[in-house]
Amino acid sequence: MYFAALLARTEDGWEASDTELDDVETLNDLADLAREAAVDDDTVVAFIEQEDAWFGVIRVDGEDDPRVFLSNAAIAARSSYGAMLTDELLGRDDDDATDDLDSLDLDGTEDGEPESDINVEDDDPLEAVNGSDGPPHGPLGDAALLADLGVSEKELLALDGDALSTIADSLGCTEVLEAVR
């Protein structure tokens, strides 16, 4: 279960809105959604959280490229929105996964051929399929994306549990975030 919210900075503080991610397929889609919530091209912070397993913070400042932080990329990569963000941070294209699947010989052992070198007991299925280490176990992205708003890189990296409430408290918008939760 996901929780997603947008916090738009205004002259009077922060405005929060619960957001649906049904139509979000890329980071650009999410950035566009954030820009729609912006007041006078000011900062918008998007929060995505999946049942305290991982959280993501996406910051959009006007037309600048979005900045992204994930609390645990390896865990996030196992979910649809987390995978989208992880792939973006790692510079993977959507076509890369398709290309990897197209290059597999799926009927190698059916005709009595020897089994492949793939160890099915590997902890990381990405490594078994394409030889990569996959996303890192731990934080990924721009940990300093909220530093000018009162959440230092060190503080962001230390968060766990109810991280979004802690961030909202530092930004001074706990009440508006809790109102949409």
Side-chain angles (χ1 to χ4, degrees):
M1 176 100 164
Y2 290 99
F3 168 73
L6 295 173
L7 290 172
R9 188 164 62 176
T10 70
E11 289 180 9
D12 300 325
W14 293 90
E15 291 180 5
S17 59
D18 187 11
T19 188
E20 288 295 323
L21 300 176
D22 294 340
D23 295 331
V24 173
E25 295 180 9
T26 66
L27 179 58
N28 287 334
D29 292 343
L30 184 56
D32 290 343
L33 191 65
R35 286 183 185 105
E36 289 173 15
V39 177
D40 297 328
D41 285 337
D42 211 338
T43 299
V44 176
V45 178
F47 291 137
I48 301 175
E49 177 182 60
Q50 186 179 19
E51 299 175 349
D52 292 332
W54 66 272
F55 70 90
V57 180
I58 302 88
R59 178 178 177 162
V60 178
D61 293 300
E63 292 301 318
D64 292 347
D65 288 338
R67 297 165 60 190
V68 180
F69 173 79
L70 292 173
S71 64
N72 190 318
I75 293 172
R78 296 180 189 142
S79 66
S80 59
Y81 299 113
M84 170 193 70
L85 296 171
T86 302
D87 287 348
E88 183 73 31
L89 288 169
L90 295 174
R92 296 180 182 160
D93 292 335
D94 289 336
D95 295 338
D96 288 349
T98 304
D99 292 344
D100 290 341
L101 291 176
D102 289 343
S103 67
L104 292 176
D105 179 14
L106 298 177
D107 51 285
T109 58
E110 291 176 6
D111 298 325
E113 294 177 24
E115 290 188 27
S116 69
D117 293 329
I118 296 175
N119 180 359
V120 294
E121 295 179 15
D122 280 349
D123 290 338
D124 190 346
L126 289 174
E127 184 174 342
V129 172
N130 62 19
S132 73
D133 292 334
H137 294 275
L140 180 65
D142 184 357
L145 81 164
L146 299 175
D148 63 322
L149 299 175
V151 182
S152 72
E153 182 175 348
K154 184 178 177 180
E155 291 170 319
L156 190 61
L157 291 170
L159 291 176
D160 60 358
D162 195 12
L164 300 187
S165 292
T166 303
I167 293 169
D169 188 46
S170 295
L171 297 178
C173 59
T174 303
E175 290 179 17
V176 293
L177 179 64
E178 291 303 319
V180 298
R181 222 174 235 227

